[in-house]
Amino acid sequence: MGRLGWGGHFGGLAARLDGAFGADGAFVHDRLRFVDFVDDVEEMLEELARREGGDEEAADGFEEYVLRHSANNS
């Protein structure tokens, strides 16, 4: 994201998502419910849209999309 010039927008992203993934990159279901994780990411996207003057509603469907598609792949 830094190479795209978005680094300033995501300064706290790593801290907010810390602990969501193990050393192997797999999501840690025993520490965090996936639905809570997806909800947090959607809130971050909406916050970014507000700061950038973008369409907050565009990020609003993120959670539904991810949950619908992850349920189809399990």
Side-chain angles (χ1 to χ4, degrees), residues 13-70:
L13 181 62
R16 291 175 74 175
L17 299 178
D18 188 37
F21 297 93
D24 62 355
F27 184 77
V28 289
H29 293 276
D30 59 330
R31 287 189 235 156
L32 180 65
R33 291 182 337 145
F34 186 69
V35 293
D36 293 336
F37 169 75
V38 173
D39 184 52
D40 288 346
V41 172
E42 180 180 68
E43 288 178 22
M44 286 186 270
L45 291 172
E46 289 171 351
E47 180 182 321
L48 177 61
R50 279 191 295 276
R51 280 191 300 195
E52 291 298 305
D55 182 8
E56 186 179 330
E57 295 297 318
D60 206 26
F62 174 81
E63 181 176 8
E64 180 183 342
Y65 176 85
V66 170
L67 294 177
R68 187 172 0 117
H69 284 79
S70 65

